[in-house]
Amino acid sequence: MKTNVKRINFSKVLMTLIAAVLILSSMFTLAACGKKEDASANGQPTSSVSSEEAKISITFKLIKDGQTTEFPLETSKKYLADALVEAKLVEYASDGYYTTFNGITADWNTDKSYWWITVDGKESMKGINDIKLTDGGSYEATYKKG
């Protein structure tokens, strides 16, 4: 007597389960990103300033040859490079680096000079494009050679 056994293709079942999980997680993510409005006591939506519009205060210091120039800034930008561009304190070089701060250029290829960046007094391991701003933060660019 011959038994008719149906074989299950486990890879097909697994792929279907993975696809279902991805679809469900995408739906939950989209739902969580939806606009939420807080209601005031009278049931009307309250207005709020978005985080992009909120201004923060930072201090940017430029140090060269022992001379410090301080620039108090108010910005709604999230990253140091964007705030400095907005304040016209930095120029973007064609090679992808910011080499000129407030008209002072550091060029490793010419005279082995560079900008040493600190955040709240500590050396930054990130470039100014990746340094997130914090309200009251202190940021420094120090001109150095060799």
Side-chain angles (χ1 to χ4, degrees), residues 19-138:
V21 168
L22 288 174
I23 290 169
L24 286 173
S25 65
S26 295
M27 289 173 51
F28 287 123
T29 301
L30 289 173
C33 291
K35 185 177 179 182
K36 294 180 183 178
E37 292 183 2
D38 294 329
S40 64
N42 63 6
Q44 297 297 319
T46 59
S47 65
S48 63
V49 177
S50 73
S51 62
E52 217 172 67
E53 296 171 357
K55 296 251 184 194
I56 62 169
S57 296
I58 65 167
T59 301
F60 177 70
K61 295 178 185 175
L62 191 62
I63 303 167
K64 183 181 181 203
D65 300 329
Q67 299 292 324
T68 301
T69 307
E70 190 171 306
F71 302 91
L73 303 174
E74 278 197 27
T75 186
S76 60
K77 303 296 183 184
K78 292 183 180 185
Y79 294 93
L80 182 58
D82 296 331
L84 296 177
V85 167
E86 176 183 57
K88 297 180 176 29
L89 290 173
V90 68
E91 294 175 29
Y92 185 71
S94 61
D95 61 0
Y97 294 97
Y98 291 94
T99 56
T100 303
F101 287 88
N102 200 35
I104 304 167
T105 300
D107 186 351
W108 181 260
N109 295 323
T110 303
D111 61 359
K112 304 289 187 228
S113 60
Y114 62 97
W115 292 105
W116 185 54
I117 307 298
T118 60
V119 177
D120 294 325
K122 296 177 184 165
E123 180 179 10
S124 175
M125 301 312 275
K126 298 178 180 180
I128 65 173
N129 280 325
D130 299 318
I131 297 174
K132 282 192 168 186
L133 299 176
T134 58
D135 194 24
S138 177

